[in-house]
């Protein structure tokens, strides 16, 4: 049995009703809870809130959650991918869902924003491109967002697969 694969377009979070956003949150939380049953993490709390870019953030808190983060956040990245894929399938369109564990991604975001600003300062000061280390799509997006309003520089992603990275160029 083959299923037809169709491209799923994102919807602008600003154009959704409160009921639609609540349904998305319910689907995402239920999905996350179902997945967490397969981890031995005990009782957890899932807080939901809206991020700066309109995304739904689900922050998991509890005891001994390091297993959900994994080495360099790889398990958390996979968990987010899985939750996002299931949510898209359930609701029929792409909506940004971020899964976090005890603010791990928030701390990583601050660190990436700091790296981005340092790279912009260096690119502007030295008048040359600054190549950052390879990053995940989520990490590259944070860098692009952090620098999109900086008139001194532009950013671009280069490379393939796991070697894809951001280049910060002076204007």
């Amino acid at each position: 049995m083959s299923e037809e694969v169709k491209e799923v377009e994102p919807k602008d979070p600003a154009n959704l009703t409160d009921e639609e956003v609540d349904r998305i949150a319910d689907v995402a939380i239920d999905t996350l809870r179902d997945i967490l049953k397969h981890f031995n993490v005990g009782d957890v709390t899932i807080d939901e809130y809206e991020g700066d870019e309109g995304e739904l953030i689900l922050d998991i808190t509890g005891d001994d959650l390091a297993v959900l983060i994994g080495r360099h956040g790889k398990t958390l990245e996979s968990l987010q991918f899985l939750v996002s894929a299931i949510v898209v399938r359930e609701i029929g369109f792409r909506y940004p869902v971020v899964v976090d564990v005890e603010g791990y991604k928030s701390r990583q975001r601050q660190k990436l924003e700091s790296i981005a600003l340092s790279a912009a300062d260096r690119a502007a000061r030295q008048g040359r491109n600054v190549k950052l280390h390879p990053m995940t799509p989520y990490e590259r997006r944070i860098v692009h967002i952090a620098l999109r309003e900086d008139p001194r520089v532009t950013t671009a992603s280069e490379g393939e697969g796991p070697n894809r990275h951001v280049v910060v160029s002076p204007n």
Side-chain angles (χ1 to χ4, degrees):
M1 179 194 304
S2 87
E3 284 189 34
E4 185 178 321
V5 178
K6 63 180 182 181
E7 183 64 28
V8 180
E9 291 297 317
K11 279 198 176 181
D12 182 359
N15 294 334
L16 297 175
T17 66
D18 288 343
E19 291 80 19
E20 288 173 312
V21 173
D22 286 345
R23 179 174 172 267
I24 294 165
D26 289 344
V27 168
I29 289 170
D30 290 345
T31 300
L32 184 55
R33 284 201 186 283
D34 287 345
I35 294 169
L36 291 178
K37 290 177 188 172
H38 300 282
F39 288 85
N40 192 17
V41 293
D43 288 336
V44 298
T45 301
I46 301 173
D47 294 314
E48 68 174 90
Y49 54 95
E50 185 178 329
D52 296 339
E53 299 293 316
E55 70 273 25
L56 171 65
I57 299 176
L58 304 178
D59 192 19
I60 307 165
T61 55
D63 298 327
D64 196 27
L65 297 178
V67 68
L68 296 179
I69 297 172
R71 183 175 169 89
H72 302 297
K74 293 296 184 190
T75 304
L76 182 55
E77 185 181 319
S78 297
L79 185 60
Q80 176 174 321
F81 177 81
L82 192 57
V83 169
S84 294
I86 293 169
V87 168
V88 165
R89 187 173 180 99
E90 287 292 315
I91 66 174
F93 58 91
R94 199 169 37 220
Y95 187 88
V97 177
V98 175
V99 178
D100 201 355
V101 174
E102 295 184 332
Y104 173 82
K105 282 192 174 176
S106 177
R107 292 187 301 277
Q108 291 302 105
R109 181 184 191 110
Q110 290 171 347
K111 182 177 165 185
L112 286 166
E113 288 170 346
S114 176
I115 289 169
L117 293 174
S118 292
D121 290 343
R122 196 166 58 238
R125 187 177 63 250
Q126 296 175 354
R128 64 178 182 84
N129 292 350
V130 174
K131 178 178 155 184
L132 301 179
H133 64 279
M135 297 177 180
T136 65
Y138 175 76
E139 292 168 332
R140 291 192 309 272
R141 182 173 180 266
I142 290 170
V143 171
H144 291 304
I145 289 169
L147 298 179
R148 71 179 169 200
E149 302 295 325
D150 191 327
R152 305 171 302 158
V153 296
T154 56
T155 61
S157 291
E158 295 181 356
E160 297 294 324
N163 294 320
R164 198 147 171 83
H165 58 276
V166 175
V167 176
V168 181
S169 303
N171 282 334

